[in-house]
Amino acid sequence: MSIVFSEISKEFHLYNDQISYIIQILGNGELGNLYYGKRIHHKDDFSYLLEGGLRSLAVYTKENDYFMSPQYTRMEYPDMGRGDFREPAYEIQQANGSNTSSFIYRNHRIFAGKKPLEGLPSLYVESDCEATTLEILMQDQLTGMEMTLSYTVYEKYPVIARSVRFKNKGTKPVVLNRALSASIDLPDADFEMLQLSGAWSRERHIKCRKLQQGIQGIGSRRGISSAEHNPFLLLKREQTDETHGEVYAFSFIYSGNHIEQVEVDTNDMARVSVGIHPDTFSWMLRLDEEFQTPEAVLVYTDQGMNEMSHVFHELYRTRLARGVWRDKERPVIINNWEATGAQFTEDQVLQIAQAGKELGMELFVLDDGWFGKRDDDKTGLGDWYVTNFEKLPEGIEGLAKKVEALGMKFGLWFEPEMVNKDSDLYRAHPDWLLCAPGRTPSPSRNQYVLDFSRTEVVDAVFDMMDQILSKAPISYIKWDMNRYLTECYSTDKSPQDQGKVYHQYILGVYSLYERLIQKYPEILFESCSSGGARFDPGMLYYAPQAWTSDDTDAYERVRIQYGTSLVYPVSSMGAHVSVVPNQQVGRVTPLETRGNVAMFGAFGYEMDLQCLTDEEKDIVRRQVAFFKEHRRLLQFGRFYRLQNPFTENDAAWMTVSEDQNEAVVGFYRKMGVPNGPWIRLYLQGLKENAKYIVNDQTDQSYFGSELMHAGMVVHREDLCGDGGDFCSAVYYLKKQA
Ligand code: DGJ
């Protein structure tokens, strides 16, 4: 891995064994992109890759020089107002009203390792030899503004992490109206664009379309990353599938408003833009002030989408997630939400915990409803202490100790960013809401958003949480967030600084997370937002797992977890078994299938276990035991998608241990097929010439090559529900000694 600068050609070549990324300082001092893709041999001069020349209607950067027209050049971090005409990467409004900028190269530095981004989540290294970073300092001579473009290339991964820092070194304040984290111009547009989109209860469905001339993209203006569009997109060739072909992927380490889009110009070049959504952002930079963008992660592979996912999984699991839980097997959870809602008694929840213990579960989570006057969703948010001692006679401390006495760990639900009007907090601080002056704040789920851009608000919430955490033995926190942001105005800021509030809100969320994880490093955090509305890489930096969706129906979950697996590791996906008919879709699926889906995740149950029949209890006991036996493999193995539920009736996936000696395969059928075809699963990731035993049946063994190329035969008898609707099977493979 290296970053080489050629003094002669003024080119930076960032490369490792898998990728090359080449930037050139152009004749006028601006930066152009010469190449991004599969590794090419290094040489000192790639300048032939910069095409230019005279074209009608084109605008040029110098008089009598008809080579470089921004519109026809692959720009590295494009500006606006000077003849590019495509989507700019930044926009700086000067005091005189002009928004034309012209940044030129000043200097650069290359160093081993990677720096953290202050106050923001970002990738990290454990040793400086894992990555090399290039920082290029650019300056606008007229305004004095500086920008530092930062690129980190990892040794082991086909990854480039990009971000930008702006600094006002001029003499007057300016306003940043747009500050994207990455922009890249690709020389052709012969791609399909794939995104993870959906809504509450059907998050991260895979959507794919062919690129067309014009702008296509996704984003969020909802204040958080959202259930609607995950901060991710990829470009792939039409022939690319899970195992072959080129993929350019873009993931954004951020939990607030974001934009990911592709503009294809009428000469069929594709510009990808990734960053904070400019529609809800403007940042006044006073003299000497800085603005740091969040980080965009670029992954390139020519080995298909599964390989891309392997890169994201390993990178995000080991160089984005942090803390003691990063590499630790996650406990089997029993959560009371779907069983009781917010109305419960201590006896009731203790009985659920006790039943969980008997079935092998390890951690009981008390969900919504334990604090303030909370019996429904109209009251109590903001009052993070127990006031209803009829519900919890000895408070959280008492309940937590009783749960621990059962031999279970105890976890607790919070929704730190929210407030109900019927709460002590709102009565004491009505101005702590995000609210536009003179207007009534818009309700959602009867709740309002606290102004986390204000330090005193974050401090107050921290103090309440700290009071609880310092007294009770709490091993896990589910941090929920159940509405989008509206009237995003902060009463303690000047009119000029209101454009900062969306971003400062998220910085406030990050700062509260950071304080809590620093003070309570042993607590396992699970982020949540009405299910999976804030399942993003930013959150993973603080909470190594996230509640994937409120939709716990087995069939829907196969699709949600399959889509989520494009970017996010199995260990990050909270996945629980719940009752049927399912509370979200009313569907009835076999208990075995619900377990077979959820065990490819941070596994748990979400039901009143006492209501199970003895036969069902046996099934659950076996599921928990199987999961615990193979937990490391299921949560941290290499995950392969085998069959796609978005295009087929059957879905399948598998996970393989690092040494390739073990694997677990999951097969899921949507509708039963009358007199259907035989079923073969073409496995992946095994050793070609090792022999494997399936489900401990020692009378037969199969070479990895057989299982991968001839296929593993799925017998109808293997399927729970005898091959009917929503049937499934899980197979455990072990290499023969
Ligand atoms: C939404 C979450 O996704 C659910 O799991 C549950 O915690 C509820 N909120 C509680 O209000």
Side-chain angles (χ1 to χ4, degrees), residues 616-629:
E616 287 170 330
K617 280 187 181 158
D618 277 346
I619 295 173
V620 169
R621 203 174 279 113
R622 281 200 301 274
Q623 285 172 344
V624 174
F626 179 87
F627 173 79
K628 283 166 138 179
E629 196 181 338

Side-chain angles (χ1 to χ4, degrees), residues 433-501:
L433 256 58
L434 289 173
C435 180
R439 304 195 187 275
T440 311
S442 309
S444 174
R445 208 198 195 208
N446 302 301
Q447 64 192 56
Y448 300 88
V449 186
L450 285 173
D451 182 355
F452 262 46
S453 74
R454 291 170 67 167
T455 320
E456 71 269 41
V457 177
V458 176
D459 286 349
V461 177
F462 173 81
D463 288 343
M464 283 185 276
M465 294 177 79
D466 190 31
Q467 279 294 315
I468 297 276
L469 300 176
S470 58
K471 296 205 176 80
I474 292 175
S475 306
Y476 161 106
I477 288 179
K478 177 175 175 185
W479 177 321
D480 207 344
M481 197 287 181
N482 285 301
R483 65 158 291 175
Y484 292 141
L485 274 56
T486 54
E487 292 90 18
C488 193
Y489 185 97
S490 175
T491 47
D492 87 330
K493 290 181 186 59
S494 68
Q496 294 86 349
D497 286 324
Q498 293 299 331
K500 297 179 173 175
V501 180

